[in-house]
Amino acid sequence: MNMENVAIITGGGRGIGAATAQLFARKGYAVCINYKSRSAPAEALATAINGEGGRCIAVQADVSEEADVKRLFAAVEQELGTPNVLVNNAGILKPQMRLEDMTAERINGILTNNVTGYFLCCREAVKRMSSKHGGKGGTIVNVSSGAARTGSPNEYIDYAASKGAIDTLTKGLSLEVAAEGIRVNCVRPGLIYTDMHSDGGEPGRIERLKSKIPMQRGGQPEEVAEAIYWLASDKSSFSTGNFLDLAGGL
Ligand code: NAP
């Protein structure tokens, strides 16, 4: 049993996840930073948070692997207490290409990572948070993308479709557990300055596209983190199954 708020941030070692972990720590949450492969930035962030008087652990786990997700939640329970916040944030994208050039391996890789990973983490969270299972409730925030609405033609329809699935997951699960003390909401970032765009093969993507953004600029990870925090905290206590677009009007 824990007396404090405990948040799991998947993919928390860099980008939006790292900004979110820092904000939750500043707000007094015990935080688990999950990462898949880059241990150095995740461990460094955990050390920094602990050095500032916070409570933070970094846990390696590939959230698309069932055994890893079970191990992740068990580690959090043992070291920090029962989680009452899950931020499903871990996502990947692959180099830009048209659909007719995509292999089954690539498509399955994107869907397994970006969709199965979110489902598995939701499952483990619901088992611990739901009043149906004796839990004390909690909140889940899924990080989707504006791509779920645009479809990302000529860039990565596979990635966009994985985010469409997250919107559907958010809607369905929010209704499934609404009477069990769990709220499930979603943020849909637009173009945010992180290293993810390098993984998509175009580090300067935001500079190319920012004139199409009504606010004429890309967003910062901290601006997304603030919305995630609001949706996860009691400040949004009557909100579930909702979507917050953070895209500068795009
Ligand atoms: P990022 O800088 O690439 O960070 C993503 C993190 O997710 C990485 O640190 C990575 O960990 C982790 N990760 C990926 N797959 C994982 C897995 N299977 N298990 C555990 N961790 C995993 O990306 P970001 O821009 O901050 O994106 C965060 C979320 O926002 C993603 O869901 C993304 O789709 C969404 N989003 C981003 C933008 C944008 O413009 N940046 C826009 C809309 C939505 P390792 O480093 O250890 O591999």
Side-chain angles (χ1 to χ4, degrees), residues 3-248:
M3 303 299 290
E4 62 183 332
N5 291 312
V6 176
I8 300 179
I9 322 282
T10 70
R14 69 178 201 177
I16 292 168
T20 304
Q22 282 169 309
L23 180 59
F24 274 77
R26 277 208 305 281
K27 297 286 187 183
Y29 281 68
V31 173
C32 169
I33 296 170
N34 154 253
Y35 65 95
K36 180 166 69 176
S37 52
R38 295 178 183 90
S39 62
E43 295 289 355
L45 181 55
T47 301
I49 287 173
N50 287 322
E52 287 162 15
R55 198 155 164 245
C56 184
I57 58 171
V59 178
Q60 189 284 329
D62 179 343
V63 294
S64 66
E65 294 286 343
E66 191 163 26
D68 281 24
V69 174
K70 286 183 179 172
R71 179 171 53 74
L72 169 66
F73 276 76
V76 171
E77 211 148 29
Q78 186 166 349
E79 295 185 46
L80 300 177
T82 305
N84 60 351
V85 170
L86 166 66
V87 179
N88 258 327
N89 166 78
I92 56 167
L93 55 74
K94 300 273 186 193
Q96 298 169 11
M97 65 176 65
R98 285 169 56 89
L99 181 144
E100 62 257 43
D101 296 322
M102 291 179 186
T103 63
E105 185 187 3
R106 167 182 163 131
I107 297 163
N108 288 335
I110 289 283
L111 295 177
T112 305
N113 196 92
N114 293 2
V115 182
T116 306
Y118 278 45
F119 270 73
L120 291 174
C121 289
C122 282
R123 186 189 74 189
E124 293 307 306
V126 167
K127 280 185 190 171
R128 287 161 176 83
M129 295 173 182
S130 170
S131 58
K132 189 168 167 250
H133 301 297
K136 293 197 167 75
T139 54
I140 296 172
V141 181
N142 291 324
V143 181
S144 173
S145 170
R149 289 173 289 113
T150 67
S152 301
N154 303 305
E155 290 192 326
Y156 16 69
I157 300 176
D158 52 352
Y159 170 83
S162 77
K163 294 304 185 180
I166 297 315
D167 287 5
T168 306
L169 162 67
T170 302
K171 200 72 212 169
L173 184 62
S174 70
L175 298 174
E176 196 162 292
V177 298
E180 297 169 22
I182 307 175
R183 298 186 296 109
V184 186
N185 289 293
C186 188
V187 293
R188 284 190 295 219
L191 293 161
I192 310 298
Y193 286 102
T194 73
D195 291 330
M196 178 174 253
H197 301 289
S198 299
D199 294 347
E202 190 185 5
R205 182 166 174 261
I206 298 181
E207 298 316 309
R208 172 171 63 88
L209 294 171
K210 75 179 181 188
S211 64
K212 296 192 169 68
I213 301 170
M215 284 178 68
Q216 299 286 297
R217 68 169 179 90
Q220 295 298 334
E222 291 74 17
E223 297 180 285
V224 182
E226 289 287 349
I228 292 172
Y229 178 73
W230 184 76
L231 286 170
S233 74
D234 288 345
K235 300 279 182 198
S236 62
S237 52
F238 203 44
S239 167
T240 197
N242 283 316
F243 298 83
L244 197 41
D245 292 316
L246 303 150

